[in-house]
Amino acid sequence: MPRIALFPGSFDPVTNGHLDVVRPAARIADRLVLAIGTHPGKTPLFAAEERVAMLEATAAPLAKAAGCEFAYVTFADLVVAAARRAGATLLIRGLRSGADFEYEMEMAGMNGTMAPDVQTVFVPASASVRPITATLVRQIASMGGDVTPFVPAPVAARLKAKFAGKAGT
């Protein structure tokens, strides 16, 4: 039976932290599905199609290098519902800090109750990417800051284009 893993997130934008989780996830799964959250109550910087393009440019090559099939889906409901639709039995979650651990343990407990057939797997972040969040990357980019240490080159280019002509750039 193939191991199918679902890694959910906003990926708005894709960061080096996301890719730091994709690398080991692609080594433990036969198929890695990145689930792009499209919650109606939130207004993302990038449309779902743009986030897909960023993931295809950055995450897909990592999965391929690991011999892992790569796919993506969008979802606006419960993560466990998205996992079931994808046929996933593993739910991948990245951990950057103790605060992440506390929150993710609560989520794992709730998800485990709703979907006992889906096991949460925690992937600790490498020290170099622990401070990176998509929110901070968006803020830095919006103020004209250099985000190249935090995101892959294709994402940095998209951010630069998105904020071209705005104050501080």
Side-chain angles (χ1 to χ4, degrees), residues 7 9-20 22 34 36 45-60 62 70 132-135 137-138 147-159:
F7 175 26
S10 67
F11 304 105
D12 186 38
V14 177
T15 69
N16 291 339
H18 293 126
L19 300 182
D20 189 63
V22 166
L34 274 62
I36 303 163
L45 177 62
F46 291 101
E49 299 77 24
E50 293 174 294
R51 291 182 272 168
V52 165
M54 287 186 276
L55 288 169
E56 286 179 343
T58 60
L62 298 176
F70 175 80
I132 301 172
T133 69
T135 300
V137 167
R138 287 191 307 270
V147 295
T148 58
F150 314 119
V151 298
V155 175
R158 282 181 178 266
L159 283 162

Side-chain angles (χ1 to χ4, degrees), residues 80-164:
V80 292
R84 283 192 170 135
R85 283 192 302 275
T89 56
L90 301 173
L91 182 61
I92 305 295
R93 300 300 298 165
L95 296 176
R96 294 175 308 211
S97 66
D100 277 358
F101 179 76
E102 292 295 324
Y103 173 76
E104 292 296 344
M105 283 298 291
E106 291 174 1
M107 293 301 298
M110 298 298 282
N111 288 337
T113 298
M114 291 185 289
D117 53 322
V118 179
Q119 175 68 48
T120 299
V121 175
F122 296 125
V123 176
S126 300
S128 63
V129 299
R130 284 186 190 139
I132 301 172
T133 69
T135 300
L136 289 174
V137 167
R138 287 191 307 270
Q139 289 173 347
I140 292 165
S142 73
M143 296 177 173
D146 179 14
V147 295
T148 58
F150 314 119
V151 298
V155 175
R158 282 181 178 266
L159 283 162
K160 187 172 183 175
K162 186 70 79 170
F163 291 110

Side-chain angles (χ1 to χ4, degrees), residues 26-40:
R27 289 193 303 269
I28 63 172
D30 299 308
R31 176 179 170 87
L32 179 61
V33 180
L34 274 62
I36 303 163
T38 59
H39 303 286

